[in-house]
Short mmCIF file of all heavy atoms in Angstrom, two decimals:
data_model
loop_
_atom_site.label_atom_id
_atom_site.label_comp_id
_atom_site.label_asym_id
_atom_site.label_seq_id
_atom_site.Cartn_x
_atom_site.Cartn_y
_atom_site.Cartn_z
N PRO A 4 -115.90 182.46 10.03
CA PRO A 4 -115.17 183.71 10.31
C PRO A 4 -115.27 184.17 11.77
O PRO A 4 -114.31 184.72 12.32
CB PRO A 4 -115.83 184.73 9.36
CG PRO A 4 -116.40 183.90 8.26
CD PRO A 4 -116.81 182.59 8.89
N ALA A 5 -116.40 183.95 12.42
CA ALA A 5 -116.53 184.35 13.83
C ALA A 5 -115.63 183.49 14.73
O ALA A 5 -115.05 184.00 15.69
CB ALA A 5 -117.98 184.26 14.29
N LEU A 6 -115.50 182.20 14.41
CA LEU A 6 -114.58 181.35 15.17
C LEU A 6 -113.15 181.81 14.97
O LEU A 6 -112.35 181.83 15.91
CB LEU A 6 -114.72 179.89 14.74
CG LEU A 6 -115.92 179.13 15.26
CD1 LEU A 6 -116.00 177.75 14.61
CD2 LEU A 6 -115.86 178.99 16.77
N ASP A 7 -112.81 182.19 13.74
CA ASP A 7 -111.46 182.68 13.47
C ASP A 7 -111.19 183.97 14.24
O ASP A 7 -110.09 184.17 14.76
CB ASP A 7 -111.24 182.87 11.97
CG ASP A 7 -109.76 182.95 11.65
OD1 ASP A 7 -108.97 182.14 12.19
OD2 ASP A 7 -109.39 183.83 10.85
N MET A 8 -112.19 184.83 14.33
CA MET A 8 -112.01 186.06 15.11
C MET A 8 -111.80 185.74 16.59
O MET A 8 -111.02 186.40 17.27
CB MET A 8 -113.21 187.00 14.94
CG MET A 8 -113.19 187.77 13.63
SD MET A 8 -111.73 188.83 13.41
CE MET A 8 -112.04 190.08 14.65
N TYR A 9 -112.49 184.73 17.10
CA TYR A 9 -112.26 184.33 18.48
C TYR A 9 -110.83 183.81 18.64
O TYR A 9 -110.15 184.15 19.61
CB TYR A 9 -113.28 183.29 18.98
CG TYR A 9 -112.96 182.90 20.39
CD1 TYR A 9 -113.24 183.77 21.44
CD2 TYR A 9 -112.29 181.72 20.67
CE1 TYR A 9 -112.87 183.46 22.74
CE2 TYR A 9 -111.93 181.39 21.97
CZ TYR A 9 -112.22 182.27 23.00
OH TYR A 9 -111.84 181.97 24.29
N HIS A 10 -110.37 183.01 17.68
CA HIS A 10 -108.99 182.50 17.74
C HIS A 10 -108.00 183.66 17.71
O HIS A 10 -106.97 183.63 18.41
CB HIS A 10 -108.72 181.52 16.61
CG HIS A 10 -109.55 180.29 16.69
ND1 HIS A 10 -109.93 179.58 15.58
CD2 HIS A 10 -110.10 179.63 17.74
CE1 HIS A 10 -110.67 178.54 15.94
NE2 HIS A 10 -110.79 178.56 17.25
N TYR A 11 -108.29 184.68 16.89
CA TYR A 11 -107.46 185.88 16.87
C TYR A 11 -107.43 186.54 18.25
O TYR A 11 -106.37 186.93 18.74
CB TYR A 11 -107.97 186.88 15.81
CG TYR A 11 -107.55 188.30 16.08
CD1 TYR A 11 -106.22 188.68 15.95
CD2 TYR A 11 -108.47 189.25 16.51
CE1 TYR A 11 -105.82 189.98 16.23
CE2 TYR A 11 -108.09 190.54 16.78
CZ TYR A 11 -106.75 190.91 16.65
OH TYR A 11 -106.36 192.19 16.94
N HIS A 12 -108.57 186.65 18.88
CA HIS A 12 -108.68 187.25 20.21
C HIS A 12 -107.77 186.52 21.21
O HIS A 12 -107.03 187.15 21.96
CB HIS A 12 -110.15 187.19 20.66
CG HIS A 12 -110.42 187.59 22.06
ND1 HIS A 12 -110.24 188.87 22.53
CD2 HIS A 12 -110.87 186.85 23.11
CE1 HIS A 12 -110.57 188.92 23.81
NE2 HIS A 12 -110.96 187.71 24.19
N VAL A 13 -107.82 185.21 21.20
CA VAL A 13 -106.98 184.41 22.10
C VAL A 13 -105.51 184.66 21.79
O VAL A 13 -104.69 184.87 22.70
CB VAL A 13 -107.34 182.90 21.99
CG1 VAL A 13 -106.34 182.04 22.75
CG2 VAL A 13 -108.76 182.66 22.49
N TRP A 14 -105.16 184.65 20.50
CA TRP A 14 -103.79 184.89 20.07
C TRP A 14 -103.32 186.28 20.52
O TRP A 14 -102.23 186.43 21.09
CB TRP A 14 -103.70 184.74 18.55
CG TRP A 14 -102.39 185.16 17.98
CD1 TRP A 14 -101.25 184.40 17.86
CD2 TRP A 14 -102.06 186.45 17.43
NE1 TRP A 14 -100.24 185.14 17.28
CE2 TRP A 14 -100.72 186.40 17.02
CE3 TRP A 14 -102.78 187.63 17.26
CZ2 TRP A 14 -100.08 187.49 16.43
CZ3 TRP A 14 -102.14 188.72 16.69
CH2 TRP A 14 -100.80 188.64 16.28
N ALA A 15 -104.13 187.30 20.26
CA ALA A 15 -103.74 188.68 20.58
C ALA A 15 -103.60 188.88 22.10
O ALA A 15 -102.70 189.60 22.55
CB ALA A 15 -104.75 189.66 20.00
N ASN A 16 -104.48 188.26 22.88
CA ASN A 16 -104.33 188.34 24.34
C ASN A 16 -102.99 187.76 24.76
O ASN A 16 -102.29 188.34 25.59
CB ASN A 16 -105.46 187.58 25.05
CG ASN A 16 -106.77 188.33 25.07
OD1 ASN A 16 -106.81 189.54 24.88
ND2 ASN A 16 -107.85 187.61 25.29
N SER A 17 -102.62 186.64 24.18
CA SER A 17 -101.35 186.00 24.51
C SER A 17 -100.17 186.89 24.10
O SER A 17 -99.21 187.05 24.85
CB SER A 17 -101.26 184.64 23.83
OG SER A 17 -100.05 184.01 24.15
N VAL A 18 -100.26 187.50 22.92
CA VAL A 18 -99.19 188.37 22.42
C VAL A 18 -98.98 189.55 23.37
O VAL A 18 -97.84 189.86 23.73
CB VAL A 18 -99.51 188.85 20.98
CG1 VAL A 18 -98.61 190.00 20.57
CG2 VAL A 18 -99.39 187.69 20.00
N ILE A 19 -100.06 190.20 23.78
CA ILE A 19 -99.89 191.38 24.65
C ILE A 19 -99.40 190.96 26.03
O ILE A 19 -98.56 191.64 26.64
CB ILE A 19 -101.18 192.25 24.71
CG1 ILE A 19 -100.88 193.65 25.30
CG2 ILE A 19 -102.27 191.60 25.53
CD1 ILE A 19 -100.16 194.56 24.38
N MET A 20 -99.87 189.83 26.54
CA MET A 20 -99.39 189.38 27.85
C MET A 20 -97.93 188.96 27.79
O MET A 20 -97.17 189.22 28.72
CB MET A 20 -100.29 188.29 28.41
CG MET A 20 -101.62 188.84 28.92
SD MET A 20 -102.67 187.62 29.72
CE MET A 20 -103.57 187.00 28.32
N VAL A 45 -107.30 196.63 33.22
CA VAL A 45 -107.76 196.40 31.85
C VAL A 45 -107.86 194.89 31.58
O VAL A 45 -108.88 194.41 31.07
CB VAL A 45 -106.82 197.05 30.81
CG1 VAL A 45 -107.33 196.78 29.39
CG2 VAL A 45 -106.69 198.54 31.04
N LEU A 46 -106.80 194.15 31.90
CA LEU A 46 -106.84 192.70 31.66
C LEU A 46 -107.94 192.03 32.48
O LEU A 46 -108.60 191.11 31.99
CB LEU A 46 -105.49 192.06 31.94
CG LEU A 46 -104.44 192.22 30.83
CD1 LEU A 46 -103.13 191.58 31.24
CD2 LEU A 46 -104.94 191.63 29.52
N HIS A 48 -110.75 193.40 33.28
CA HIS A 48 -112.00 193.73 32.60
C HIS A 48 -112.22 192.83 31.37
O HIS A 48 -113.32 192.30 31.17
CB HIS A 48 -112.00 195.20 32.19
CG HIS A 48 -113.19 195.60 31.39
ND1 HIS A 48 -114.46 195.69 31.92
CD2 HIS A 48 -113.31 195.91 30.07
CE1 HIS A 48 -115.31 196.04 30.97
NE2 HIS A 48 -114.64 196.18 29.84
N ILE A 49 -111.18 192.66 30.57
CA ILE A 49 -111.30 191.78 29.39
C ILE A 49 -111.68 190.37 29.85
O ILE A 49 -112.58 189.74 29.29
CB ILE A 49 -109.99 191.75 28.58
CG1 ILE A 49 -109.68 193.12 27.97
CG2 ILE A 49 -110.07 190.68 27.47
CD1 ILE A 49 -108.28 193.22 27.36
N TYR A 50 -111.01 189.89 30.89
CA TYR A 50 -111.28 188.55 31.40
C TYR A 50 -112.73 188.44 31.88
O TYR A 50 -113.42 187.46 31.58
CB TYR A 50 -110.32 188.21 32.54
CG TYR A 50 -110.56 186.84 33.11
CD1 TYR A 50 -109.98 185.72 32.52
CD2 TYR A 50 -111.40 186.65 34.20
CE1 TYR A 50 -110.22 184.45 33.01
CE2 TYR A 50 -111.64 185.38 34.69
CZ TYR A 50 -111.05 184.29 34.10
OH TYR A 50 -111.30 183.03 34.59
N GLN A 51 -113.19 189.43 32.62
CA GLN A 51 -114.55 189.39 33.15
C GLN A 51 -115.59 189.34 32.02
O GLN A 51 -116.57 188.59 32.11
CB GLN A 51 -114.82 190.60 34.04
CG GLN A 51 -114.10 190.55 35.36
CD GLN A 51 -114.24 191.86 36.09
OE1 GLN A 51 -113.55 192.83 35.77
NE2 GLN A 51 -115.12 191.91 37.05
N VAL A 52 -115.39 190.12 30.99
CA VAL A 52 -116.34 190.14 29.88
C VAL A 52 -116.29 188.81 29.12
O VAL A 52 -117.32 188.23 28.78
CB VAL A 52 -116.10 191.35 28.96
CG1 VAL A 52 -116.92 191.25 27.67
CG2 VAL A 52 -116.45 192.64 29.72
N ASP A 53 -115.08 188.29 28.88
CA ASP A 53 -114.96 186.96 28.25
C ASP A 53 -115.70 185.91 29.07
O ASP A 53 -116.40 185.06 28.53
CB ASP A 53 -113.49 186.55 28.12
CG ASP A 53 -112.73 187.27 27.02
OD1 ASP A 53 -113.26 188.24 26.45
OD2 ASP A 53 -111.58 186.85 26.75
N HIS A 54 -115.53 185.99 30.38
CA HIS A 54 -116.16 185.03 31.29
C HIS A 54 -117.67 185.19 31.29
O HIS A 54 -118.41 184.20 31.28
CB HIS A 54 -115.59 185.23 32.71
CG HIS A 54 -115.95 184.14 33.65
ND1 HIS A 54 -117.11 184.16 34.39
CD2 HIS A 54 -115.32 182.99 33.96
CE1 HIS A 54 -117.16 183.08 35.14
NE2 HIS A 54 -116.09 182.34 34.90
N TRP A 56 -119.66 186.29 28.85
CA TRP A 56 -120.25 185.76 27.63
C TRP A 56 -120.10 184.25 27.55
O TRP A 56 -120.98 183.56 27.01
CB TRP A 56 -119.68 186.46 26.39
CG TRP A 56 -120.30 187.82 26.26
CD1 TRP A 56 -119.72 189.02 26.55
CD2 TRP A 56 -121.65 188.10 25.89
NE1 TRP A 56 -120.63 190.04 26.35
CE2 TRP A 56 -121.81 189.49 25.94
CE3 TRP A 56 -122.72 187.32 25.50
CZ2 TRP A 56 -123.02 190.12 25.62
CZ3 TRP A 56 -123.93 187.93 25.18
CH2 TRP A 56 -124.06 189.32 25.25
N PHE A 57 -119.03 183.70 28.10
CA PHE A 57 -118.90 182.24 28.16
C PHE A 57 -120.05 181.66 28.96
O PHE A 57 -120.69 180.68 28.53
CB PHE A 57 -117.56 181.85 28.80
CG PHE A 57 -117.47 180.38 29.10
CD1 PHE A 57 -117.19 179.48 28.10
CD2 PHE A 57 -117.69 179.91 30.39
CE1 PHE A 57 -117.13 178.11 28.36
CE2 PHE A 57 -117.63 178.55 30.67
CZ PHE A 57 -117.35 177.64 29.65
N PHE A 91 -106.54 183.18 31.57
CA PHE A 91 -106.99 183.37 30.19
C PHE A 91 -106.87 182.07 29.40
O PHE A 91 -107.77 181.72 28.63
CB PHE A 91 -106.21 184.48 29.49
CG PHE A 91 -106.81 185.85 29.63
CD1 PHE A 91 -106.32 186.75 30.56
CD2 PHE A 91 -107.85 186.25 28.81
CE1 PHE A 91 -106.85 188.02 30.69
CE2 PHE A 91 -108.41 187.52 28.93
CZ PHE A 91 -107.91 188.41 29.87
N VAL A 92 -105.76 181.36 29.56
CA VAL A 92 -105.56 180.09 28.85
C VAL A 92 -106.64 179.09 29.25
O VAL A 92 -107.26 178.44 28.39
CB VAL A 92 -104.15 179.52 29.10
CG1 VAL A 92 -104.03 178.08 28.63
CG2 VAL A 92 -103.09 180.40 28.44
N LEU A 94 -109.62 179.71 30.51
CA LEU A 94 -110.93 180.14 30.00
C LEU A 94 -111.04 179.89 28.50
O LEU A 94 -112.08 179.44 28.02
CB LEU A 94 -111.17 181.62 30.33
CG LEU A 94 -112.53 182.19 29.91
CD1 LEU A 94 -113.69 181.41 30.53
CD2 LEU A 94 -112.61 183.67 30.28
N SER A 95 -109.97 180.15 27.76
CA SER A 95 -110.05 179.90 26.30
C SER A 95 -110.18 178.41 26.02
O SER A 95 -110.87 178.03 25.07
CB SER A 95 -108.85 180.50 25.57
OG SER A 95 -107.66 179.84 25.88
N TRP A 98 -113.80 177.79 26.49
CA TRP A 98 -114.50 178.32 25.32
C TRP A 98 -114.40 177.33 24.16
O TRP A 98 -115.40 177.05 23.49
CB TRP A 98 -113.88 179.66 24.88
CG TRP A 98 -114.53 180.89 25.41
CD1 TRP A 98 -114.09 181.66 26.46
CD2 TRP A 98 -115.70 181.53 24.91
NE1 TRP A 98 -114.93 182.73 26.63
CE2 TRP A 98 -115.92 182.69 25.69
CE3 TRP A 98 -116.59 181.24 23.87
CZ2 TRP A 98 -116.99 183.54 25.48
CZ3 TRP A 98 -117.65 182.11 23.65
CH2 TRP A 98 -117.84 183.24 24.46
N GLN A 99 -113.19 176.82 23.90
CA GLN A 99 -112.99 175.90 22.78
C GLN A 99 -113.86 174.65 22.94
O GLN A 99 -114.46 174.18 21.97
CB GLN A 99 -111.51 175.51 22.65
CG GLN A 99 -110.60 176.65 22.28
CD GLN A 99 -110.87 177.25 20.91
OE1 GLN A 99 -111.58 176.69 20.06
NE2 GLN A 99 -110.32 178.42 20.67
N LEU A 102 -117.51 175.71 22.32
CA LEU A 102 -117.77 175.98 20.90
C LEU A 102 -117.79 174.70 20.07
O LEU A 102 -118.57 174.58 19.13
CB LEU A 102 -116.74 176.98 20.36
CG LEU A 102 -116.86 178.39 20.95
CD1 LEU A 102 -115.66 179.23 20.54
CD2 LEU A 102 -118.16 179.05 20.55
N THR A 129 -121.84 186.99 19.07
CA THR A 129 -121.26 187.11 20.41
C THR A 129 -119.75 186.94 20.34
O THR A 129 -119.01 187.67 21.01
CB THR A 129 -121.91 186.09 21.36
OG1 THR A 129 -123.31 186.34 21.40
CG2 THR A 129 -121.33 186.18 22.75
N LEU A 130 -119.28 186.00 19.53
CA LEU A 130 -117.84 185.83 19.36
C LEU A 130 -117.20 187.08 18.76
O LEU A 130 -116.10 187.48 19.18
CB LEU A 130 -117.54 184.62 18.47
CG LEU A 130 -117.90 183.26 19.06
CD1 LEU A 130 -117.68 182.17 18.01
CD2 LEU A 130 -117.09 182.98 20.31
N LEU A 131 -117.88 187.69 17.82
CA LEU A 131 -117.37 188.94 17.23
C LEU A 131 -117.32 190.04 18.28
O LEU A 131 -116.37 190.83 18.33
CB LEU A 131 -118.22 189.36 16.04
CG LEU A 131 -118.16 188.43 14.83
CD1 LEU A 131 -119.17 188.87 13.77
CD2 LEU A 131 -116.76 188.35 14.26
N HIS A 132 -118.33 190.09 19.14
CA HIS A 132 -118.32 191.08 20.22
C HIS A 132 -117.14 190.84 21.16
O HIS A 132 -116.43 191.78 21.52
CB HIS A 132 -119.63 191.04 21.01
CG HIS A 132 -119.55 191.82 22.28
ND1 HIS A 132 -119.38 193.19 22.29
CD2 HIS A 132 -119.55 191.41 23.57
CE1 HIS A 132 -119.30 193.60 23.55
NE2 HIS A 132 -119.40 192.54 24.34
N VAL A 133 -116.93 189.60 21.57
CA VAL A 133 -115.83 189.27 22.48
C VAL A 133 -114.50 189.69 21.84
O VAL A 133 -113.65 190.31 22.49
CB VAL A 133 -115.84 187.77 22.84
CG1 VAL A 133 -114.55 187.32 23.50
CG2 VAL A 133 -117.03 187.46 23.75
N ALA A 134 -114.32 189.38 20.56
CA ALA A 134 -113.07 189.70 19.87
C ALA A 134 -112.86 191.21 19.73
O ALA A 134 -111.76 191.71 19.99
CB ALA A 134 -113.03 189.03 18.50
N THR A 135 -113.90 191.94 19.33
CA THR A 135 -113.72 193.39 19.15
C THR A 135 -113.58 194.10 20.50
O THR A 135 -112.83 195.07 20.61
CB THR A 135 -114.86 194.00 18.32
OG1 THR A 135 -116.12 193.76 18.96
CG2 THR A 135 -114.87 193.44 16.91
N HIS A 136 -114.27 193.61 21.51
CA HIS A 136 -114.13 194.17 22.85
C HIS A 136 -112.69 194.03 23.32
O HIS A 136 -112.08 194.97 23.83
CB HIS A 136 -115.10 193.49 23.82
CG HIS A 136 -114.94 193.92 25.23
ND1 HIS A 136 -114.18 193.22 26.13
CD2 HIS A 136 -115.43 194.99 25.90
CE1 HIS A 136 -114.20 193.84 27.30
NE2 HIS A 136 -114.95 194.92 27.18
N GLY A 137 -112.14 192.84 23.14
CA GLY A 137 -110.75 192.60 23.54
C GLY A 137 -109.78 193.48 22.78
O GLY A 137 -108.83 194.04 23.34
N ALA A 138 -110.00 193.62 21.46
CA ALA A 138 -109.11 194.45 20.63
C ALA A 138 -109.13 195.90 21.11
O ALA A 138 -108.08 196.55 21.20
CB ALA A 138 -109.51 194.35 19.16
N TYR A 139 -110.30 196.40 21.39
CA TYR A 139 -110.43 197.77 21.87
C TYR A 139 -109.61 197.98 23.15
O TYR A 139 -108.84 198.94 23.26
CB TYR A 139 -111.92 198.07 22.14
CG TYR A 139 -112.17 199.43 22.73
CD1 TYR A 139 -112.19 200.56 21.93
CD2 TYR A 139 -112.38 199.58 24.10
CE1 TYR A 139 -112.42 201.81 22.48
CE2 TYR A 139 -112.60 200.83 24.66
CZ TYR A 139 -112.62 201.94 23.84
OH TYR A 139 -112.84 203.18 24.38
N HIS A 140 -109.74 197.06 24.09
CA HIS A 140 -109.05 197.24 25.36
C HIS A 140 -107.57 196.89 25.30
O HIS A 140 -106.77 197.44 26.06
CB HIS A 140 -109.78 196.48 26.47
CG HIS A 140 -111.07 197.15 26.83
ND1 HIS A 140 -111.12 198.45 27.31
CD2 HIS A 140 -112.35 196.73 26.74
CE1 HIS A 140 -112.38 198.79 27.52
NE2 HIS A 140 -113.15 197.75 27.18
N ARG A 141 -107.16 196.02 24.39
CA ARG A 141 -105.73 195.82 24.19
C ARG A 141 -105.11 197.11 23.64
O ARG A 141 -103.96 197.42 23.92
CB ARG A 141 -105.45 194.63 23.28
CG ARG A 141 -105.70 193.29 23.98
CD ARG A 141 -105.27 192.11 23.13
NE ARG A 141 -105.96 192.06 21.84
CZ ARG A 141 -107.14 191.48 21.65
NH1 ARG A 141 -107.78 190.87 22.64
NH2 ARG A 141 -107.68 191.48 20.44
N GLN A 158 -100.33 193.44 17.30
CA GLN A 158 -101.32 192.42 17.62
C GLN A 158 -102.49 192.51 16.65
O GLN A 158 -103.60 192.12 16.96
CB GLN A 158 -101.78 192.58 19.07
CG GLN A 158 -102.19 194.02 19.36
CD GLN A 158 -102.48 194.29 20.78
OE1 GLN A 158 -103.40 193.70 21.32
NE2 GLN A 158 -101.74 195.19 21.39
N ASP A 159 -102.20 193.02 15.45
CA ASP A 159 -103.22 193.22 14.44
C ASP A 159 -103.71 191.89 13.87
O ASP A 159 -102.97 190.91 13.80
CB ASP A 159 -102.67 194.05 13.28
CG ASP A 159 -102.34 195.47 13.68
OD1 ASP A 159 -102.71 195.87 14.81
OD2 ASP A 159 -101.70 196.17 12.88
N TYR A 160 -104.94 191.90 13.42
CA TYR A 160 -105.54 190.73 12.79
C TYR A 160 -104.71 190.28 11.59
O TYR A 160 -104.52 189.09 11.36
CB TYR A 160 -106.99 191.02 12.40
CG TYR A 160 -107.71 189.84 11.80
CD1 TYR A 160 -108.01 188.72 12.58
CD2 TYR A 160 -108.09 189.83 10.47
CE1 TYR A 160 -108.69 187.62 12.05
CE2 TYR A 160 -108.77 188.75 9.92
CZ TYR A 160 -109.05 187.65 10.72
OH TYR A 160 -109.71 186.57 10.18
N TYR A 163 -101.88 188.22 12.72
CA TYR A 163 -102.42 186.92 13.11
C TYR A 163 -102.58 186.02 11.88
O TYR A 163 -102.22 184.85 11.90
CB TYR A 163 -103.76 187.11 13.84
CG TYR A 163 -104.62 185.88 13.89
CD1 TYR A 163 -104.34 184.85 14.79
CD2 TYR A 163 -105.71 185.73 13.04
CE1 TYR A 163 -105.13 183.70 14.85
CE2 TYR A 163 -106.51 184.60 13.08
CZ TYR A 163 -106.22 183.59 13.98
OH TYR A 163 -107.00 182.47 14.04
N LEU A 164 -103.13 186.58 10.81
CA LEU A 164 -103.34 185.80 9.58
C LEU A 164 -102.02 185.29 9.02
O LEU A 164 -101.93 184.15 8.57
CB LEU A 164 -104.07 186.63 8.53
CG LEU A 164 -105.53 186.98 8.83
CD1 LEU A 164 -106.09 187.92 7.77
CD2 LEU A 164 -106.38 185.73 8.96
#
Side-chain angles (χ1 to χ4, degrees):
L6 283 173
D7 198 44
M8 282 300 291
Y9 178 74
H10 296 151
Y11 157 70
H12 172 67
V13 171
W14 171 85
N16 283 342
S17 181
V18 166
I19 195 74
M20 285 185 272
V45 180
L46 280 178
H48 175 70
I49 295 170
Y50 180 85
Q51 288 171 283
V52 170
D53 285 10
H54 192 272
W56 284 105
F57 170 79
F91 269 100
V92 168
L94 183 57
S95 68
W98 266 101
Q99 294 296 346
L102 293 170
T129 301
L130 293 174
L131 294 173
H132 168 65
V133 166
T135 58
H136 175 264
Y139 176 80
H140 288 300
R141 286 187 301 274
Q158 51 187 298
D159 294 350
Y160 182 68
Y163 161 77
L164 291 174

